[in-house]
Amino acid sequence: NAGVTQTPKFQVLKTGQSMTLQCAQDMNHEYMSWYRQDPGMGLRLIHYSVGAGITDQGEVPNGYNVSRSTTEDFPLRLLSAAPSQTSVYFCASSYSEGLSYEQYFGPGTRLTVT
Amino acid sequence: TQLLEQSPQFLSIQEGENLTVYCNSSSVFSSLQWYRQEPGEGPVLLVTVVTGGEVKKLKRLTFQFGDARKDSSLHITAAQPGDTGLYLCAGVGRGQGAQKLVFGQGTRLTINP
């Protein structure tokens, strides 16, 4: 099993450009999430999904769109990139087992917006 | 909004010393997780604590969940250079939306040989 895969690993965008960060998991997990990680701020939730066709906003959703057409894939779209979106983006999948929602993280995408 | 405050944010100590990292909140969580992250990689789960007052040990790492389920600590005994990394605590909410984890800011730990 590959676990959670993310592409690309690095990306440089100019302000105003759009792009899609890809995320796929092969563990048949029902939950998937996107986080951004900035220095000194831990991980902040952007959007999440509890299953195919169901998505909801997290803590910092502005400027990002998501969709979940299949269990495996959860792409994150930047509509019009801004320098404030320079960050490391992590996709995660999880399942519920009692009170534990262990997150399985991908390797991350380092995005720079100039 | 649920918040988790981790302290200290940075810690640099010598090999063989003991250390404790704290994770505090004013909110009650149904469970709390600790992750470790290496440079260039995603976080990896170390442990989940579920019951108030629970203590879990993972070799030289001891994790404790506060009685009121609002705080947690990570204690490392006889730290080794291999313990170097970013440690993150994450709170699991209650009821609907429980899968929306809340992360602390992280503690960057450096163990010097």
Side-chain angles (χ1 to χ4, degrees):
Chain A
N1 285 352
V4 179
T5 57
Q6 289 184 240
T7 55
K9 194 155 178 67
F10 300 94
Q11 183 70 49
V12 179
L13 290 178
K14 294 187 186 305
T15 297
Q17 287 184 319
S18 63
M19 78 158 295
T20 299
L21 279 62
Q22 301 292 341
C23 175
Q25 54 100 359
D26 62 0
M27 296 173 283
N28 202 32
H29 287 169
E30 52 193 315
Y31 304 119
M32 295 188 76
S33 306
W34 274 102
Y35 296 88
R36 59 177 290 173
Q37 185 172 37
D38 302 292
M41 302 190 73
L43 289 157
R44 292 184 291 169
L45 183 65
I46 304 171
H47 285 285
Y48 69 101
S49 168
V50 300
I54 306 170
T55 64
D56 204 349
Q57 297 181 349
E59 181 186 353
V60 288
N62 292 341
Y64 308 94
N65 273 359
V66 292
S67 60
R68 183 115 178 255
S69 56
T70 67
T71 300
E72 294 78 19
D73 300 299
F74 192 43
L76 177 72
R77 297 183 192 83
L78 278 70
L79 309 174
S80 178
S84 60
Q85 294 178 304
T86 293
S87 187
V88 182
Y89 291 85
F90 288 99
C91 177
S93 71
S94 63
Y95 65 98
S96 65
E97 183 174 334
L99 296 176
S100 175
Y101 290 86
E102 177 179 355
Q103 305 272 309
Y104 292 77
F105 286 87
T109 295
R110 185 174 295 274
L111 176 68
T112 302
V113 183
T114 60
Chain B
T1 302
Q2 296 177 311
L3 292 174
L4 273 171
E5 297 286 336
Q6 267 186 256
S7 61
Q9 286 198 35
F10 299 93
L11 185 58
S12 180
I13 62 172
Q14 293 300 118
E15 181 177 1
E17 294 183 351
N18 302 332
L19 67 108
T20 302
V21 176
Y22 299 94
C23 180
N24 296 303
S25 176
S26 58
S27 303
V28 176
F29 293 99
S30 59
S31 64
L32 201 134
Q33 302 176 341
W34 285 91
Y35 290 81
R36 179 178 159 186
Q37 185 177 17
E38 303 282 356
E41 298 179 7
V44 176
L45 182 70
L46 294 173
V47 76
T48 300
V49 283
V50 176
T51 307
E54 181 177 4
V55 176
K56 279 192 175 179
K57 293 194 174 184
L58 193 65
K59 296 183 181 178
R60 294 174 294 99
L61 279 60
T62 301
F63 304 86
Q64 185 162 7
F65 201 13
D67 291 341
R69 305 211 309 276
K70 293 182 179 181
D71 55 85
S72 181
S73 63
L74 157 61
H75 182 80
I76 301 180
T77 303
Q80 298 178 1
D83 296 327
T84 293
L86 179 67
Y87 290 82
L88 295 154
C89 63
V92 179
R94 309 166 84 181
Q96 196 170 9
Q99 67 278 4
K100 292 168 59 176
L101 267 60
V102 176
F103 280 84
Q105 314 98 307
T107 295
R108 189 162 299 281
L109 176 63
T110 303
I111 310 300
N112 303 300

